[in-house]
Amino acid sequence: MIFNLNKWYKEKQDGEILLSYKGDISSDLITDVLEIIESKLEEKDINSKIRKKVYNTLVECLQNIYHHLDELPFNDETLFNGRFALFLVTKVNEEYRISVGNFIKSEKKQILTDRLNQINSLTREELKSLYKLILNNHDFSEKGGGGLGMIDIAKKTGSKLEYNFYEHKNDYLFYSLSINIS
Amino acid sequence: MDAFSIEGTPKTPTVDFNSETGVIEIKGRSIPENSIEFYKPLVDWLEDYLANPAALTNVNIQLEYFNTSSSKCILDVFKKLEAIYKSGNEVIINWHYEEDDEDMLEAGEDYQSIIKIPFKMIEIEE
């Protein structure tokens, strides 16, 4: 079955939508989005712990996409051209949910799967140790944090990272990630 | 040596480094996409400061948010400060965190366990 991106986007629009975006992602867009979500969260009378966790998680998710998305090479996909990504912040009952999706080259699937499964298998204490180990021992690239972002999210939210890969075409996949914060 | 300061933006902190008073401050939020670019002049300044530091270097870190790409750069700043401390000068790092922000306190404790400089954890009441 061919992956239907619009269907994915629609399905994620569950509960109260604080923010949803589909399109080009740039540094300026991230700045604007963070400003919007910050004021939206302030409007809500939620405790500062949750507010900060939602904000932090969104920062890491968006910057992860910013650094690691792959642009689709073909012009026939007019809708998904360029630095394309989707993301949503929703609230279902008392739980906040951040969902993000972007295209990547298929060859990245295995390494991402291994990394996400490893993170999901660790306890909070183990995540804490791994975070410190990478922080202190690994060289970071210009692109970012040596995989620290996902570890940081798992450590701070205490949630499992829910991920999926959907076949696209020509060796590209749609990679989606969802995180619950409560 | 000249003092060094940068005004804060929505994604980068206010920076105030003063070699005469030995007061070094980083305040606000640090969530740029390219942290290495932002922190390079800070690390370079500290490298020069290392040659002739104040008798006491008082470091104030008061961050509301920082991203993981800043976390390594902050460690690089602390490593320069550690070199100053190891060469026989007094250095203290005051790590400020907002009341109830356990994640920020924990981040400070992580640095404290890596860097051999006295840390003081300071809770800011909201």
Side-chain angles (χ1 to χ4, degrees), chain A residues 27 31 38 53 60 63, chain B residues 11 29 33 67-68 103:
Chain A
S27 177
T31 309
E38 189 167 26
K53 283 180 200 291
E60 295 300 333
Q63 294 186 338
Chain B
K11 276 184 178 165
R29 47 185 70 182
E33 278 80 34
N67 60 1
T68 51
D103 291 331

Side-chain angles (χ1 to χ4, degrees), chain A residues 34-96:
Chain A
L34 291 174
E35 198 178 314
I36 292 167
I37 198 68
E38 189 167 26
S39 70
K40 289 243 179 189
L41 290 169
E42 265 166 23
E43 279 169 26
K44 298 197 167 294
D45 194 22
I46 53 168
N47 79 43
S48 63
K49 261 188 214 177
I50 302 291
R51 181 164 48 82
K52 284 180 181 169
K53 283 180 200 291
V54 173
Y55 187 87
N56 260 319
T57 304
L58 190 62
V59 169
E60 295 300 333
C61 285
L62 297 186
Q63 294 186 338
N64 203 38
I65 294 176
Y66 177 84
H67 291 300
H68 300 295
L69 69 79
D70 289 313
E71 290 184 39
L72 292 178
F74 301 107
N75 288 326
D76 56 358
E77 296 279 358
T78 46
L79 271 177
F80 314 141
N81 269 343
R83 298 180 52 76
F84 178 83
L86 305 105
F87 53 84
L88 306 101
V89 181
T90 57
K91 186 178 178 227
V92 181
N93 300 322
E94 286 311 300
E95 195 164 63
Y96 288 86

Side-chain angles (χ1 to χ4, degrees), chain A residues 19-161:
Chain A
L19 187 78
S20 76
Y21 180 85
K22 179 167 105 174
D24 217 46
I25 189 161
S26 66
S27 177
D28 286 344
L29 176 95
I30 294 175
T31 309
D32 293 345
V33 161
L34 291 174
E35 198 178 314
I36 292 167
I37 198 68
E38 189 167 26
S39 70
K40 289 243 179 189
L41 290 169
E42 265 166 23
E43 279 169 26
K44 298 197 167 294
D45 194 22
I46 53 168
N47 79 43
S48 63
K49 261 188 214 177
I50 302 291
R51 181 164 48 82
K52 284 180 181 169
K53 283 180 200 291
V54 173
Y55 187 87
N56 260 319
T57 304
L58 190 62
V59 169
E60 295 300 333
C61 285
L62 297 186
Q63 294 186 338
N64 203 38
I65 294 176
Y66 177 84
H67 291 300
H68 300 295
L69 69 79
D70 289 313
E71 290 184 39
L72 292 178
F74 301 107
N75 288 326
D76 56 358
E77 296 279 358
T78 46
L79 271 177
F80 314 141
N81 269 343
R83 298 180 52 76
F84 178 83
L86 305 105
F87 53 84
L88 306 101
V89 181
T90 57
K91 186 178 178 227
V92 181
N93 300 322
E94 286 311 300
E95 195 164 63
Y96 288 86
R97 186 171 175 84
I98 293 176
S99 306
V100 298
N102 60 279
F103 290 101
I104 57 163
K105 287 184 178 150
S106 305
E107 68 210 31
K108 292 181 180 170
K109 182 181 175 180
Q110 196 54 52
I111 190 163
L112 259 171
T113 306
D114 291 348
R115 183 175 288 172
L116 291 161
N117 286 344
Q118 186 208 9
I119 292 170
N120 282 341
S121 73
L122 299 177
T123 64
R124 192 176 185 285
E125 283 308 309
E126 288 166 338
L127 287 166
K128 219 174 120 97
S129 302
L130 182 63
Y131 182 91
K132 262 168 64 177
L133 185 76
I134 294 175
L135 177 65
N136 200 18
N137 293 305
H138 288 242
D139 285 333
F140 285 30
S141 66
E142 291 286 327
K143 279 190 163 187
L148 273 186
M150 293 299 110
I151 299 168
D152 189 57
I153 290 171
K155 181 164 77 85
K156 286 181 178 161
T157 63
S159 300
K160 298 296 172 201
L161 310 170

Side-chain angles (χ1 to χ4, degrees), chain B:
Chain B
M1 150 176 210
D2 288 339
F4 175 73
S5 64
I6 303 174
E7 250 187 76
T9 72
K11 276 184 178 165
T12 55
T14 299
V15 175
D16 262 308
F17 288 5
N18 189 320
S19 58
E20 303 219 334
T21 60
V23 174
I24 284 176
E25 294 189 326
I26 302 177
K27 291 182 173 179
R29 47 185 70 182
S30 181
I31 52 168
E33 278 80 34
N34 190 342
S35 302
I36 294 174
E37 185 182 272
F38 179 80
Y39 279 91
K40 188 172 185 304
L42 281 67
V43 173
D44 290 348
W45 189 94
L46 288 169
E47 179 69 39
D48 292 343
Y49 175 70
L50 177 60
N52 190 17
L56 166 66
T57 301
N58 213 341
V59 185
N60 290 309
I61 309 289
Q62 188 172 335
L63 292 169
E64 194 187 353
Y65 293 109
F66 66 89
N67 60 1
T68 51
S69 94
S70 295
S71 62
K72 178 73 172 180
C73 298
I74 294 168
L75 184 65
D76 289 341
V77 165
F78 287 165
K79 285 197 167 153
K80 289 285 172 221
L81 294 165
E82 189 178 41
I84 295 166
Y85 183 71
K86 279 186 175 164
S87 62
N89 305 283
E90 255 192 276
V91 181
I92 182 152
I93 296 179
N94 303 295
W95 183 270
H96 298 76
Y97 63 99
E98 281 175 29
E99 194 182 2
D100 290 341
D101 193 347
E102 287 157 13
D103 291 331
M104 194 55 79
L105 172 61
E106 191 175 295
E109 289 170 347
D110 284 347
Y111 286 119
Q112 186 177 23
S113 72
I114 296 170
I115 298 292
K116 304 292 169 242
I117 308 179
F119 268 69
K120 208 163 128 189
M121 300 297 167
I122 300 170
E123 186 181 271
I124 314 160
E125 284 178 33
E126 278 176 64

